[in-house]
Amino acid sequence: MFLVRFSIAGRNRWGRLQDNEITPLLSDPYDGIELDTRITLPVDAVRLLPPAVPTKIVCVGRNYAEHARELGNMVPDEPLLFLKPPSSLIPHQGVVRIPPQSTRVEHEGELAVVIGQRLFRAKSTAVRDKILGYTCFNDVTARDLQRKDVQFTRGKGFDTFAPCGPMLRTDLDPSDLAIETAVSGQVRQSGRTSQMVVPVLDLIAYISSIMTLEPGDIVVTGTPAGVGPLVAGDSVDVTIEGIGTLSNTVENWE
Ligand code: ZN
């Protein structure tokens, strides 16, 4: 099933997307999916939102060996975690803004997981049932500031640096999906989720050994090789097999 969050007449709601028609949900999907079958809406009539309202966005660095190498890094012994603030989220077709502090902003197409039920100190085998679904994410990064700072907060945390969505696929095996990022129509990153150093379920179990994951939290699973610059006027598409495409444009902050 494909879930979406959308805005219509000033209200934000969840819905099921099927054949370009949205059937609204009666409530948030975390405790089960109940459809409001009295109405359907054409997808073109709504504004799509990121398919989660997270308390935190937990990301992992260097989770594809080839990408670690391209930036001159070793693959770490344990997952290298960092957070992006929820204020960095933008939807499908939202605008990524290049901030004046950076001269090198890059794309990182990634598979994102939206948590469905609370997880704390979970075993990997217990994780799958607690996942709501899978979506596309662009971990936009000011590479110059990331290199300059000891930690990643500034380089990863600017407003608009977390495009996410639009579709959330609930029934999907995340272990071997094609993932591709194109900039202005040219493929820059092409990989498979099977190339992850730490697979999705193990990664989420690891994170839950440190912090409680709440319904709606987003776990972002790392980027394949091929990261590169974004400049004003670019379009950037992150496509994941079985999920769909996240499309955004790029502009400078005024
Ligand atoms: Zn990343």
Side-chain angles (χ1 to χ4, degrees):
M1 184 189 300
F2 288 100
L3 296 177
V4 289
R5 271 183 76 245
F6 63 96
S7 175
I8 189 160
R11 278 192 66 197
N12 296 343
R13 298 190 67 171
W14 284 90
R16 181 192 66 181
L17 182 66
Q18 198 171 36
D19 302 327
N20 292 319
E21 293 278 327
I22 295 173
T23 306
L25 270 53
L26 289 166
S27 59
D28 290 349
Y30 305 113
D31 297 320
I33 291 164
E34 269 193 280
L35 298 170
D36 182 353
T37 51
R38 294 168 301 174
I39 34 171
T40 58
L41 300 157
V43 68
D44 296 341
V46 307
R47 195 164 61 87
L48 293 170
L49 303 170
V53 185
T55 69
K56 53 193 166 297
I57 303 168
V58 190
C59 303
V60 58
R62 304 170 197 166
N63 201 26
Y64 288 76
E66 208 181 320
H67 166 65
R69 275 196 294 275
E70 76 178 341
L71 295 182
N73 296 311
M74 305 281 283
V75 171
D77 295 337
E78 295 177 289
L80 171 66
L81 302 182
F82 59 93
L83 296 169
K84 284 173 93 87
S87 49
S88 59
L89 279 171
I90 58 167
H92 176 61
Q93 295 179 339
V95 179
V96 174
R97 300 266 175 193
I98 309 271
Q101 297 97 320
S102 175
T103 57
R104 181 78 182 194
V105 169
E106 297 191 347
H107 56 84
E108 294 188 0
E110 309 197 14
L111 173 72
V113 183
V114 175
I115 302 298
Q117 290 172 46
R118 180 174 289 175
L119 279 164
F120 180 62
R121 293 185 177 171
K123 290 197 168 69
S124 299
T125 50
V127 168
R128 191 184 293 272
D129 291 345
K130 312 279 177 152
I131 290 172
L132 179 63
Y134 302 89
T135 191
C136 304
F137 194 96
N138 190 348
D139 174 21
V140 179
T141 302
R143 194 71 69 201
D144 49 351
L145 303 181
Q146 183 194 24
R147 288 190 192 281
K148 192 169 168 188
D149 295 348
V150 175
Q151 41 71 36
F152 295 178
T153 304
R154 181 167 64 145
K156 300 276 194 176
F158 284 96
D159 284 12
T160 78
F161 272 24
C164 180
M167 265 96 79
L168 188 69
R169 175 84 186 264
T170 59
D171 52 334
L172 190 66
D173 176 353
S175 60
D176 187 23
L177 304 171
I179 174 166
E180 193 172 275
T181 303
V183 176
S184 299
Q186 289 212 312
V187 175
R188 293 255 190 97
Q189 297 182 269
S190 183
R192 299 197 70 85
T193 58
S194 53
Q195 297 164 330
M196 285 184 196
V197 175
V198 180
V200 170
L201 302 182
D202 295 338
L203 177 64
I204 292 172
Y206 176 79
I207 295 167
S208 85
S209 74
I210 300 158
M211 63 188 86
T212 302
L213 290 168
E214 301 285 356
D217 282 353
I218 302 174
V219 172
V220 192
T221 58
T223 200
V227 299
L230 295 172
V231 296
D234 278 339
S235 59
V236 53
D237 298 324
V238 179
T239 301
I240 303 177
E241 180 182 6
I243 299 175
T245 298
L246 166 68
S247 300
N248 296 92
T249 53
V250 181
E251 292 174 20
N252 291 322
W253 281 109
E254 293 302 321

